[in-house]
Amino acid sequence: MEYSPPRPSPCCRFPGAVKKKALLLSIMLFIWMFVLYSCVGPCSTGVLLDSPRDRDRDRDRDGSERADLLSRLRWEDVDYYEEPAAARGAASRDLLLTDAAPEPSAMSSFSNGAGSKKLPQAIIIGVKKGGTRALLEFLRVHPDIRAVGAEPHFFDRNYDNGLEWYRDLMPKTLEGQITMEKTPSYFVTKEAPARISAMSRDTKLIVVVRDPVTRAISDYTQTLSKKPDIPSFESLTFKNRTTGLIDTSWSAIQIGIYAKHLDNWLQYFPMEQILFVSGERLISDPAGELGRVQDFLGLKRIITDKHFYFNQTKGFPCLKKAEGSSKPHCLGKTKGRTHPDIRPEVVRRLRDFYRPFNMKFYQMTAHNFGWD
């Protein structure tokens, strides 16, 4: 609305100086009212993404899912479950960071309030105990990436809730930002590729892979920390200890047959839409692997060597500054638990078992990960 000051009658004209002051005061008042009106919308919606009630609801839901899932050990459940960041009480050495996802900064939260919720354009689909949590937290440093902290498990356990339920879990993003989530169980879930393809064939997929033998031991270590009475690693590995026949029905073994699971994904997505990140290089050269991920997502390489430092005590790289924090972000006290001693003969037989599957995986991805 354009301001038009009232025109005084000829008999009541103000002196020139008084008239100028009145005009200036009116303009300032108009500007103040315009700014106040503009602020009403964002301020009324709130700056924070989640209300305390929403956080309590999510925490209760995650807790009930964990209790049900950890009651079983075999392939159908334990093989793919990785707890939400705020709830995990134990883990193994492949996770580089602490449990809790950092709180977003006030500025990023304010921007979030002005954005909109979108279905993810990129998903970290696997694998469990490969370093998916580390990768997600590293990526959240990028200003053009907004990611869910907890694992939605939409395409494996909550698909019946519908896409709108899934979208509502996502953080708000501005134009040009990428929405992401990570659920490592997707890679080994038979229905996940078709379901994600039905959502969007353009979805970019990221898989963090790791030496399958080390991954299996790490997987067992995490389960052991929660259920100390489970059988030994060796007894779960073999169907018959005398013959050395590997029990491929055990989740910890099954997940590491990467070529088998990748075959399922290639029926719905071309290889150029899938990026494989080395869990070993994520430790030895985090900036290099993050550079590949940023290129894959079509983002500027903002996350570089300057964001990391190597913690000599922990033996892992850590973030110098996490998202929304001025403090370093590194491996928590409950992480990096020592793996149990496994007889060299058991490890050798496992390596022999995985070797042909690894070779096939190298051919499929055109990349030798050096696990043999």
Side-chain angles (χ1 to χ4, degrees), residues 46-97:
V47 170
L48 298 179
L49 296 180
D50 301 316
S51 68
R53 180 179 301 175
D54 292 335
R55 290 195 294 269
D56 291 341
R57 178 195 62 200
D58 294 341
R59 185 162 56 246
D60 292 341
R61 182 185 66 213
D62 291 341
S64 61
E65 289 178 350
R66 269 198 320 282
D68 174 66
L69 201 58
L70 293 177
S71 64
R72 298 182 291 270
L73 178 63
R74 289 288 172 173
W75 166 242
E76 291 79 5
D77 299 296
V78 177
D79 63 327
Y80 58 67
Y81 185 72
E82 186 171 344
E83 293 178 282
R88 292 197 305 275
S92 56
R93 63 190 65 176
D94 59 316
L95 292 184
L96 312 185
L97 301 174

Side-chain angles (χ1 to χ4, degrees), residues 177-212:
Q177 289 183 319
I178 293 177
T179 302
M180 288 188 68
E181 70 115 321
K182 77 106 176 172
T183 304
S185 58
Y186 294 160
F187 189 62
V188 298
T189 299
K190 185 177 181 180
E191 299 81 9
R195 290 171 174 178
I196 295 178
S197 177
M199 177 187 72
S200 173
R201 294 181 180 179
D202 296 326
T203 306
K204 293 187 176 183
L205 310 171
I206 301 174
V207 189
V208 187
V209 289
R210 182 186 184 189
D211 182 336

Side-chain angles (χ1 to χ4, degrees), residues 234-247 349:
E234 184 172 344
S235 63
L236 291 170
T237 298
F238 298 109
K239 283 185 177 180
N240 187 310
R241 296 191 190 188
T242 304
T243 62
L245 183 63
I246 303 296
D247 187 357
R349 290 192 180 188

